[in-house]
Structures are given as structure tokens and as C-alpha cells.
Amino acid sequence: MRAAAYAGSLYFALVFALAFALGALRVTTLVPLLGELGAVALEVPVVLAASWSACAWLTRSLRVPRTSVARLAMGGLALLLLAVAEMTLGTLLFGRGAAEQLAALRTPPGLLGLVGQIGFGLVPFIQLQWVLRR
């Protein structure tokens, strides 16, 4: 389980760093051109593709066990860290409280982003299922 926890932490850190940079690009460049929903719709697949690559590299490099429990733990920890980071940054950088941040998830762009985040958390498990079926 130690490998899964370490991999989950690194998985979060790598993908979050990329998503943070892409988020800045989305807000400054894409939102004015495409609107919030269009910009999020372009960003989510890029982040999920990067998540897939990062996960494959980490699970191989750190020898995360090929078990559903280990992969769900890896993804679950990464998703939990993402939720904490999102809430913390929303509060510190944008002055939004928890209720305001949760309300934003009920908008179309917020829901699409949430689906992407859940996908990010499930990538380690989905990837395992894909590998096992080959």
C-alpha cells in the first residue's frame, strides 16, 4: 500500500501542476474566445490524456501492485489531494468560500470539470482493467 500512496501523491502533484498551468491559459486565452464551457471542454481531455501517461509511468516506475485495491487507493488519494488543493486555492487565491465553490460545481462548466476530476481519480483503476484485459 505504501507504493500506492506514494504514487497517488506524485500522480496528484504532476497532474495538478500541469492542470494549474493549463487553467491559467484557459482563463486568460480560451475563455474570452470560447466561453467557460468551451474552454473547459478543451482542457479536460488534455488533462485526462496527461493523467493517463503520468499514471502509466508512475505505476510502472514505483511498481504499484496490479490490484484493484492498490489502484483505487492511488486514485482515491490523488482525488482527495486534488479536492483539498482546489478548496484551499479557491479560498486563498480567489476569496471564495466552500459554499460558493460547491455552487460553482452545479454549473455546466463546473460539472464538466468535476467529471474530469472523477475521471482523473479513476484512471489508475481503469488503466489496470485495460492492462488486465489485454
Side-chain angles (χ1 to χ4, degrees):
M1 240 3 183
R2 188 179 305 187
Y6 185 57
S9 299
L10 289 176
Y11 175 56
F12 155 74
L14 289 171
V15 176
F16 183 76
L18 172 70
F20 189 83
L22 288 175
L25 181 66
R26 173 179 44 86
V27 169
T28 59
T29 306
L30 294 177
V31 170
L33 295 173
L34 305 172
E36 186 70 28
L37 183 58
V40 172
L42 283 179
E43 181 184 21
V44 167
V46 172
V47 173
L48 287 175
S51 298
W52 187 270
S53 296
C55 179
W57 176 69
L58 287 167
T59 55
R60 201 172 37 253
S61 299
L62 300 176
R63 296 189 172 118
V64 178
R66 286 185 169 192
T67 65
S68 295
V69 170
R71 299 302 173 92
L72 287 169
M74 177 184 170
L77 176 60
L79 185 58
L80 175 65
L81 291 171
L82 176 62
V84 169
E86 290 267 334
M87 199 61 70
T88 302
L89 287 175
T91 301
L92 296 178
L93 293 181
F94 305 110
R96 293 187 303 212
E100 192 177 352
Q101 291 184 62
L102 291 173
L105 294 176
R106 291 191 294 265
T107 66
L111 283 172
L112 182 56
L114 179 60
V115 168
Q117 291 174 353
I118 292 168
F120 156 77
L122 288 173
V123 163
F125 177 74
I126 294 168
Q127 207 167 67
L128 173 66
Q129 300 309 308
W130 184 73
V131 167
L132 292 177
R133 290 179 193 225
R134 291 173 66 190

